[in-house]
Amino acid sequence: MNIIYSEVSKQFHLFNEEVSYIFKVLHNGHLCNLYYGSKLNHKDDFKNFYFESDLGATSYINDESKISFEYIRQEYSTFGCTDFTEGSYEIVQKDESYITDFKYKSHKIYDGKNKISNGDLPATFSNGDVKTLEVTLFDDKIGCELVLNYSIFKNKSVIARSTVVKSLKEEIKITRLMSSTVDFEGDNFELLQLEGAWIRERHIEKSKLRKGKQSIYSLRGCSSPQHNPFFALGKGEIKEYTGEVYGFNFVYSGNFLAEIDVNHYSNTRVNVGIHPFKFEANLKKGEVFETPEVILSYSNKGLNGLSQTNHKLIKENLMKNYELPPIVINNWEATYFDFDEQKLLNLAKKAKEIGVETFVLDDGWFGRRNDATSSLGDWYVNENKLPNGITGLCKKINDLGMNFGLWIEPEMVNKESELYKQKPDWAIQTPNRNMSQGRNQYVLDFANDEVVEYIYEKISNILNSCNISYVKWDMNRHITEGYSKTLQNQGLFYHKYILGVYKLMRKLTEQFPKIMFENCSSGGGRFDLGMLYYSPQIWTSDNTDPVDRLNIQEGTSIAYPLRAISNHISVAPNHQTGRKTPISMRANVAYFGCFGYELDLTKNDENELKLFKSQIEFYKKYRNLIIEGDFYRTTESGIKNNYCWQVVSKDKKESIVGAYQIKSETNELRKVIKLVGLNKDTQYCVTGFQQTFFGDELMNVGIPITKYFNGVSMNFEDMKESVENEGVYGICDYSSQIFLIKAI
Ligand code: DGJ
């Protein structure tokens, strides 16, 4: 990886083995993008990439030149000086004018990368594998600096960008400040976004770009299950294994805007940043504002290549606390709020018997909480339920030989709580206006540092009180009537709120480095890179139905590694969908991520417990491969009837394949599972087959699956047990199978 600045051509070239990003300083001092795509050999002057045109019916920045920002692709743009879009930023000055003229002043290139806002914001870090370019632009009228940061990573086609504004002279008002702008030539792109809602998070949606603006955003105070902050643009059509795909992901958990604007010259602009709606930052002389980071990733090997790049980056350069996930039992779907110490211990004992490693106590252990109407904010134990406290329960769980985990929802308060009685104004509200509720609860004003410090004290006391190794951090409603009495500038409310959340996460993760934090927001409602910085896994969805999980996990895998994707086996009929699926299907889907259970094991018979035990043995044996291997979706991603997922070890000697069928396909000749990622010349054995296969056979022809049952030759009753227990792919509704591929 390298960053070269050519003095003569005034061009910057950021490149590694896979990607090149090139831009230049124009003769008027502005920056213009020349190229972003597959790696190019370095030249001191990519002369031909820049052109000026004499176009009709447009405006030029002066009489001498033909520079018009209507067609010249910029690095960071502003409205009003021949650019007729909203641009990357808006800085309003004392006299209410908004025109600026930021010109190249200087640049720095250095190894590594700096923290953003001194670590107040999560961001990728260097492991000796990053080089950074900081370009400083200056507007001499207002005495203001604009710094554009670019960090390029070794062996990963990734460039991380962020922006800084420094006011050196007068007071300014920032009303829009994107973290990055990328102007592409051409508009023949397909957009892939991850859309959803509670219990149907991150479903893949694809559409052709059209002229004008299209956007993905959140104004909910969190990144949201509605629109994930990740999206991709593919040249032409997005394909799984071929073609160029550009990924964008925002390292931020609050309100965001990802905006794509296709103009009349067919240039495509992509802006990503804090949502400008209700955003305003006022800077006095000497003050600075830093944006969160955007991850630009690139693949010329289709969407799967892009996913693998993102997975690698997140595991190696973003997750602070990275280790293999424990196998958990979580009591939520097993007991909901209805538990006492004995009930929990009975569940834990059964879990221990089958090999579970961590017992996680979910909601309902504190205050007077027996349902969702009370006690959030009262972070002391409910002694009616747990007479020996969390300390006593934790000890008993530890004595069973298991680790102990605890659920918290630190950002919330119920009106029915001691905290609310004492501090009603700590709940977010606009004075003299109605306060809307969600799940009977209110969001605490984390823009107020006093609130953050108070909650920190309470939670750290609990975490200090016993041997807790795992915390599930929940967040179950979005912000309404957003306002903080402690802020003079309400334009910073949403940003300060999320900074407060990050502060609490930072303090707790630093104080308790051995605790593994799992994030959750009614399932995967805050599945973003900001959260993954502090907590390496996220409860993917409250929907535990394996059929729905196929879509949810497949969508999630586009942007996030299996290490982040937390999956539990629950009961059938499923609590969210009422669907009855075989145990094998539930396990085979849950294996692809962080594995666990969420059901009342005391109600399972010996046979089922035996199956769970063997599932756990399987996961323990292959956990390293699943988490550390390369993940492939072996068919085109999206909603379909047959899904197939594969992980391959780095040395390509081992692979696990999960094949899933939702609806039975009648009178089908046979099924073939075409694999990927293997060594073409290596011979492999495949579970269930006597013969061996070369990698090239498995990748070009595939594993042939004979249909066991065709309505004539076999009695379905004979098959039923193996479908339920082991899984046999392709013979009936909700059938699935795991294949182990091993080099011989
Ligand atoms: C929502 C979470 O997603 C569930 O797993 C569970 O923890 C409940 N909250 C508890 O209230």
Side-chain angles (χ1 to χ4, degrees):
M1 107 211 113
N2 207 351
I3 300 174
I4 297 177
Y5 176 66
S6 308
E7 280 292 345
V8 179
S9 63
K10 293 191 168 17
Q11 290 176 9
F12 294 96
H13 185 190
L14 295 83
F15 60 94
N16 59 23
E17 287 310 305
E18 295 167 52
V19 71
S20 277
Y21 189 101
I22 306 168
F23 63 98
K24 81 181 241 114
V25 183
L26 293 174
H27 45 87
N28 74 338
H30 288 230
L31 300 181
C32 131
N33 185 282
L34 297 182
Y35 175 82
Y36 174 30
S38 287
K39 195 239 156 141
L40 299 179
N41 288 315
H42 178 72
K43 283 190 355 194
D44 279 340
D45 194 355
F46 291 96
K47 221 189 226 130
N48 300 332
F49 291 12
Y50 179 72
F51 64 94
E52 289 180 13
S53 278
D54 191 359
L55 298 161
T58 191
S59 315
Y60 300 99
I61 57 153
N62 55 29
D63 292 341
E64 294 82 51
S65 81
K66 287 295 166 201
I67 294 180
S68 164
F69 290 118
E70 257 199 294
Y71 76 88
I72 284 185
R73 292 183 291 119
Q74 297 169 77
E75 277 304 294
Y76 206 68
S77 86
T78 185
F79 168 76
C81 320
T82 76
D83 184 335
F84 295 94
T85 73
E86 281 163 78
S88 320
Y89 69 95
E90 183 184 65
I91 294 178
V92 182
Q93 296 138 54
K94 268 203 217 127
D95 60 0
E96 289 293 306
S97 67
Y98 51 80
I99 297 300
T100 54
D101 191 15
F102 280 100
K103 294 192 163 155
Y104 170 83
K105 180 181 168 194
S106 61
H107 72 267
K108 278 200 286 205
I109 296 172
Y110 54 87
D111 288 335
K113 81 193 278 283
N114 292 332
K115 289 185 169 169
I116 299 190
S117 282
N118 291 323
D120 288 351
L121 279 165
T124 52
F125 47 79
S126 164
N127 296 311
D129 55 351
V130 181
K131 234 186 166 101
T132 297
L133 163 68
E134 282 181 22
V135 182
T136 301
L137 309 171
F138 190 63
D139 181 315
D140 55 5
K141 278 230 159 50
I142 52 172
C144 182
E145 272 184 9
L146 190 63
V147 183
L148 306 182
N149 297 319
Y150 302 78
S151 295
I152 184 156
F153 293 73
K154 192 175 171 185
N155 300 329
K156 293 177 191 106
S157 43
V158 170
I159 292 166
R161 285 188 58 178
S162 64
T163 305
V164 181
V165 174
K166 292 182 194 166
S167 174
L168 303 177
K169 193 167 130 199
E170 62 183 57
E171 197 167 333
I172 52 167
K173 181 162 81 184
I174 307 169
T175 55
R176 178 181 173 96
L177 193 68
M178 292 290 112
S179 294
S180 75
T181 293
V182 181
D183 279 357
F184 292 94
E185 186 166 11
D187 62 356
N188 184 19
F189 287 103
E190 187 172 46
L191 166 67
L192 180 151
Q193 59 196 85
L194 301 174
E195 292 297 294
W198 176 61
I199 62 173
R200 59 176 161 81
E201 297 91 342
R202 289 171 300 287
H203 281 47
I204 296 165
E205 262 188 47
K206 291 182 185 169
S207 54
K208 290 275 329 152
L209 287 190
R210 53 178 170 74
K211 288 273 190 309
K213 236 193 231 178
Q214 39 242 283
S215 71
I216 301 164
Y217 68 94
S218 171
L219 289 170
R220 295 168 173 269
C222 70
S223 51
S224 92
Q226 279 74 18
H227 309 287
N228 191 268
F230 169 87
F231 64 100
L233 286 178
K235 278 214 176 135
E237 206 185 322
I238 295 183
K239 293 277 196 193
E240 209 50 45
Y241 288 99
T242 52
E244 286 187 286
V245 192
Y246 297 85
F248 299 82
N249 208 346
F250 201 23
V251 191
Y252 193 60
S253 312
N255 289 351
F256 74 92
L257 175 67
E259 185 182 70
I260 302 155
D261 196 351
V262 181
N263 78 5
H264 51 293
Y265 295 122
S266 296
N267 279 346
T268 299
R269 168 167 297 167
V270 181
N271 285 323
V272 182
I274 294 177
H275 204 303
F277 185 68
K278 298 292 159 218
F279 169 81
E280 189 181 297
N282 300 319
L283 301 191
K284 295 204 187 81
K285 183 179 171 188
E287 288 184 338
V288 175
F289 187 89
E290 300 189 38
T291 70
E293 183 170 74
V294 175
I295 305 300
L296 312 181
S297 49
Y298 169 76
S299 161
N300 53 20
K301 296 183 195 72
L303 188 61
N304 218 101
L306 192 81
S307 297
Q308 290 195 5
T309 296
N310 279 291
H311 296 177
K312 215 164 143 205
L313 178 88
I314 293 168
K315 290 196 284 186
E316 293 174 6
N317 300 88
L318 183 90
M319 284 176 173
K320 264 203 334 176
N321 195 359
Y322 186 81
E323 55 187 37
L324 290 180
I327 300 169
V328 305
I329 172 87
N330 176 301
N331 75 307
W332 179 241
E333 285 198 23
T335 67
Y336 294 104
F337 292 105
D338 181 18
F339 60 81
D340 56 22
E341 189 185 91
Q342 197 48 52
K343 206 169 180 182
L344 297 178
L345 286 173
N346 292 345
L347 181 60
K349 274 183 204 142
K350 283 279 172 213
K352 173 65 191 169
E353 274 164 36
I354 59 171
V356 169
E357 296 159 332
T358 300
F359 179 90
V360 181
L361 174 56
D362 211 279
D363 194 355
W365 58 267
F366 50 91
R368 281 172 287 110
R369 191 153 167 99
N370 292 313
D371 57 33
T373 59
S374 85
S375 302
L376 287 168
D378 294 347
W379 298 111
Y380 51 85
V381 76
N382 179 342
E383 286 183 352
N384 290 333
K385 282 174 160 175
L386 303 174
N388 300 305
I390 287 295
T391 319
L393 176 68
C394 175
K395 178 154 189 329
K396 289 182 186 174
I397 300 281
N398 286 168
D399 289 346
L400 289 174
M402 294 175 90
N403 291 323
F404 182 70
L406 193 65
W407 178 98
I408 53 172
E409 194 178 2
E411 296 157 73
M412 299 292 155
V413 66
N414 286 114
K415 277 194 178 168
E416 273 303 308
S417 69
E418 293 307 315
L419 179 63
Y420 188 81
K421 267 183 219 142
Q422 285 158 24
K423 300 280 185 191
D425 58 338
W426 279 10
I428 290 174
Q429 57 200 283
T430 297
N432 307 317
R433 294 285 171 193
N434 177 56
M435 274 169 83
S436 310
Q437 61 96 354
R439 209 194 188 207
N440 315 294
Q441 65 195 57
Y442 301 85
V443 188
L444 284 170
D445 181 6
F446 269 40
N448 176 358
D449 200 47
E450 203 190 339
V451 178
V452 177
E453 286 300 326
Y454 171 89
I455 295 292
Y456 164 70
E457 278 299 311
K458 297 285 162 203
I459 302 292
S460 75
N461 284 346
I462 297 159
L463 302 185
N464 260 326
S465 70
C466 55
N467 184 24
I468 293 175
S469 69
Y470 185 109
V471 166
K472 177 178 174 189
W473 179 310
D474 207 346
M475 194 280 264
N476 285 306
R477 66 154 293 187
H478 298 159
I479 296 176
T480 53
E481 293 91 28
Y483 185 92
S484 174
K485 282 184 192 157
T486 56
L487 290 181
Q488 289 198 329
N489 170 16
Q490 296 301 322
L492 277 182
F493 166 74
Y494 285 100
H495 184 56
K496 289 267 184 199
Y497 173 83
I498 209 69
L499 288 180
V501 174
Y502 289 149
K503 181 179 179 192
L504 184 60
M505 288 184 167
R506 185 172 65 249
K507 287 183 79 151
L508 291 173
T509 50
E510 278 171 12
Q511 191 185 344
F512 302 98
K514 294 217 169 83
I515 294 182
M516 220 279 308
F517 284 78
E518 177 181 67
N519 193 260
C520 172
S521 173
S522 304
R526 204 159 55 174
F527 212 118
D528 61 61
L529 296 180
M531 290 293 134
L532 284 177
Y533 176 79
Y534 298 101
S535 49
Q537 67 191 55
I538 298 180
W539 177 228
T540 313
S541 176
D542 274 352
N543 188 339
T544 51
D545 177 334
V547 175
D548 282 4
R549 277 292 190 122
L550 286 171
N551 286 328
I552 295 171
Q553 289 175 215
E554 176 140 316
T556 308
S557 79
I558 304 276
Y560 305 100
L562 298 193
R563 176 62 188 93
I565 302 178
S566 175
N567 315 320
H568 296 169
I569 292 184
S570 63
V571 284
N574 177 270
H575 286 192
Q576 293 77 40
T577 62
R579 192 178 279 130
K580 201 163 179 291
T581 53
I583 284 182
S584 53
M585 177 77 163
R586 282 174 268 156
N588 293 345
V589 174
Y591 287 145
F592 283 81
C594 314
F595 185 68
Y597 291 80
E598 182 146 347
L599 76 177
D600 187 353
L601 295 169
T602 63
K603 300 217 169 87
N604 290 105
D605 61 29
E606 279 312 306
N607 188 32
E608 287 166 334
L609 290 172
K610 228 166 88 193
L611 283 174
F612 292 155
K613 200 170 172 191
S614 62
Q615 290 164 358
I616 289 172
E617 277 159 14
F618 173 85
Y619 189 77
K620 282 182 180 164
K621 187 161 175 199
Y622 294 107
R623 171 165 38 195
N624 193 61
L625 168 57
I626 291 168
I627 301 299
E628 301 297 357
D630 292 327
F631 176 75
Y632 296 87
R633 296 169 295 271
T634 72
T635 51
E636 292 295 323
S637 52
I639 295 172
K640 54 209 166 188
N641 194 41
N642 292 281
Y643 290 72
C644 187
W645 298 335
Q646 189 183 353
V647 281
V648 182
S649 63
K650 296 275 177 230
D651 62 7
K652 296 182 185 292
K653 286 191 173 150
E654 257 188 321
S655 174
I656 296 176
V657 177
Y660 314 89
Q661 169 174 278
I662 299 177
K663 289 270 155 228
S664 190
E665 285 164 323
T666 46
N667 206 356
E668 195 185 17
L669 201 52
R670 67 169 187 170
K671 283 193 185 294
V672 177
I673 304 170
K674 236 172 152 184
L675 302 188
V676 272
L678 301 173
N679 212 334
K680 70 180 174 43
D681 302 320
T682 302
Q683 280 200 62
Y684 295 92
C685 50
V686 177
T687 37
F689 290 84
Q690 300 307 324
Q691 70 191 95
T692 58
F693 300 85
F694 275 108
D696 55 6
E697 258 179 283
L698 291 171
M699 293 193 288
N700 291 305
V701 182
I703 310 176
I705 308 289
T706 314
K707 299 265 290 193
Y708 290 69
F709 173 71
N710 59 16
V712 181
S713 59
M714 201 165 201
N715 182 349
F716 180 68
E717 284 306 309
D718 295 344
M719 288 306 305
K720 219 168 151 207
E721 205 174 322
S722 42
V723 170
E724 280 290 325
N725 297 350
E726 296 128 45
V728 179
Y729 172 59
I731 69 156
C732 61
D733 291 359
Y734 318 136
S735 64
S736 65
Q737 195 164 344
I738 294 290
F739 297 91
L740 286 173
I741 319 289
K742 280 199 170 135
I744 51 168

